[in-house]
Amino acid sequence: MDWRPRCALDVMHERAEMLIAVRQFFQQRAVLEVETPLLCHATGTDPQLDFFSTRFNDPPDNPRLFLQTSPEFAMKRLLAAGSGCIYQICKAFRNSESGRFHNPEFTILEWYRLDFTLQDLMQEVAELFEHLVLPRRALQILPPISYQDIFQQTTGLDPLVFDLPMWQAFVRRENLHEAIEICVEDHGVWLDFIFSHVVQPKMKAGCLYRVYHYPALQSALARIHPENPRLAERFEVFVDGVELGNGFRELTDADEQAQRFDREVAWRRQHGLPEVEKDRRFLAALQAGLPECSGIAIGLDRLLMILLNKTSIDEVLTFPVTRA
């Protein structure tokens, strides 16, 4: 049995340097580093995310606990308590596949900036990537592009207009016939499939993309655009066609958030997914008042892959799940 680390020893040093550089970046901007629990009484309701759970051996309650898919809810509780701008580097856990870009345990950088618009945060993301990437490899930082524009330019389809026969014809032309059975009549699943199988692979190598104003049906924890309810104030970050981050202008309305949770819980139940409950402490924090802010999470393992031109996430992990 191979007990040795999967990544080369020099990669461990590169990771350490990357983490130092991240901390320097935020220290220079007076953003506070925080730490929140990885094991919590609630987790997200997003049907796209699978989670790990366990039982706390403390009778009589013996409560169910969850390894967090993101530190988001706990960090927003800190924001509501008056923490100011914060960031965190931590482990996150998702009970999904292990593959080229996925390991069930991964390292995440998440930060929140008070009174930042989506445009402010996209600019700070560009500055972070200049700080981290440019000393190690060339990177062209492209102007932000809307989801609708990049989708239409690449596919000829309007992502906001769900024309099922047209979309079925498109995937047939692209020799992606499996999409018809996988996506059925779900607009959101069609968007995810076409974006990941067609749009991302056609992104230019060596370029930073910031794709903003996702369709509202993919709003997750982002607020809806005040002037166009078909859009969400959300953006994603890509380099070499690889998704690295997901950012929002954060939803602060507790009632709307509770309604979104209810819809997701119902969807999970309808489709036979594991049951979860709303995070009531998080909702109480929103009710108390989450300040105006924008936030983003960046996958640091994938970022290290990009920095070092590696082809698999295993090449930058000491002990991926196959060797843990």
Side-chain angles (χ1 to χ4, degrees):
M1 181 174 291
D2 196 344
W3 53 267
R4 293 167 296 185
R6 173 65 178 84
C7 71
L9 295 181
D10 65 319
V11 173
M12 296 167 53
H13 290 273
E14 293 284 356
R15 178 182 287 270
E17 291 298 322
M18 178 183 70
L19 296 180
I20 290 170
V22 168
R23 289 189 164 97
Q24 287 174 339
F25 180 86
F26 287 108
Q27 184 179 39
Q28 291 166 2
R29 287 159 175 75
V31 180
L32 178 68
E33 183 173 8
V34 298
E35 184 176 273
T36 57
L38 300 181
L39 197 62
C40 296
H41 287 268
T43 189
T45 57
D46 187 343
Q48 307 302 319
L49 298 182
D50 295 323
F51 51 81
F52 292 96
S53 64
T54 186
R55 293 285 179 181
F56 181 29
N57 189 22
D58 186 18
D61 292 336
N62 195 24
R64 187 186 188 194
L65 299 175
F66 300 89
L67 283 172
Q68 293 306 292
T69 59
S70 160
E72 180 168 0
F73 293 172
M75 292 183 75
K76 287 181 177 176
R77 287 165 61 185
L78 294 181
L79 292 169
S83 67
C85 300
I86 55 177
Y87 80 99
Q88 180 168 189
I89 298 170
C90 69
K91 293 293 187 180
F93 303 85
R94 295 182 185 177
N95 192 5
S96 56
E97 77 272 21
S98 172
R100 182 182 173 196
F101 297 115
H102 297 89
N103 192 66
E105 177 185 355
F106 57 99
T107 304
I108 196 169
L109 162 66
E110 189 154 331
W111 78 93
Y112 294 88
R113 297 291 254 140
L114 302 189
D115 298 320
F116 263 41
T117 65
L118 206 66
Q119 291 70 29
D120 293 332
L121 189 59
M122 285 194 287
Q123 177 59 34
E124 186 161 71
V125 165
E127 293 166 2
L128 175 66
F129 274 73
E130 287 177 344
H131 181 72
L132 294 178
V133 179
L134 288 181
R136 292 171 174 82
R137 56 163 285 186
L139 181 69
Q140 181 182 1
I141 298 177
L142 300 178
I145 185 171
S146 75
Y147 185 101
Q148 188 172 18
D149 283 347
I150 195 171
F151 202 98
Q152 285 184 311
Q153 291 171 14
T154 308
T155 68
L157 303 172
D158 185 343
L160 303 180
V161 179
F162 186 43
D163 185 327
L164 182 58
M166 183 180 293
W167 291 33
Q168 290 172 332
F170 172 79
V171 294
R172 290 190 185 101
R173 291 195 301 272
E174 295 286 325
N175 199 29
L176 295 168
H177 303 274
E178 68 274 18
I180 295 172
E181 182 176 348
I182 292 172
C183 303
V184 195
E185 298 182 3
D186 190 315
H187 186 187
V189 178
W190 274 100
L191 289 171
D192 285 339
F193 186 96
I194 292 176
F195 198 93
S196 62
H197 286 78
V198 181
V199 179
Q200 284 180 237
K202 293 183 180 179
M203 290 180 176
K204 297 177 183 177
C207 294
L208 173 72
Y209 285 78
R210 289 160 293 166
V211 180
Y212 68 96
H213 284 168
Y214 273 62
L217 58 89
Q218 296 180 313
S219 58
L221 292 147
R223 68 174 65 191
I224 301 302
H225 193 288
E227 298 173 4
N228 188 343
R230 298 193 301 169
L231 303 177
E233 294 201 82
R234 171 188 174 192
F235 74 99
E236 290 197 351
V237 181
F238 303 85
V239 174
D240 294 343
V242 178
E243 180 200 345
L244 296 178
N246 190 11
F248 308 135
R249 187 172 179 212
E250 302 297 341
L251 179 63
T252 59
D253 186 317
D255 293 335
E256 182 179 345
Q257 186 64 75
Q259 291 169 12
R260 292 190 191 183
F261 282 163
D262 287 339
R263 288 195 294 269
E264 290 178 343
V265 168
W267 198 98
R268 295 182 71 94
R269 187 175 297 122
Q270 180 183 354
H271 291 81
L273 296 178
E275 291 278 339
V276 293
E277 296 183 359
K278 296 180 290 188
D279 188 332
R280 301 188 183 281
R281 288 186 175 92
F282 169 58
L283 290 174
L286 291 185
Q287 198 71 53
L290 181 69
E292 289 288 327
C293 62
S294 294
I296 186 169
I298 300 285
L300 290 181
D301 303 316
R302 289 187 184 181
L303 177 55
L304 189 58
M305 282 179 60
I306 298 298
L307 288 176
L308 303 180
N309 292 309
K310 302 298 185 182
T311 59
S312 169
I313 199 169
D314 284 7
E315 295 179 83
V316 299
L317 299 176
T318 50
F319 301 111
V321 67
T322 53
R323 295 197 186 184

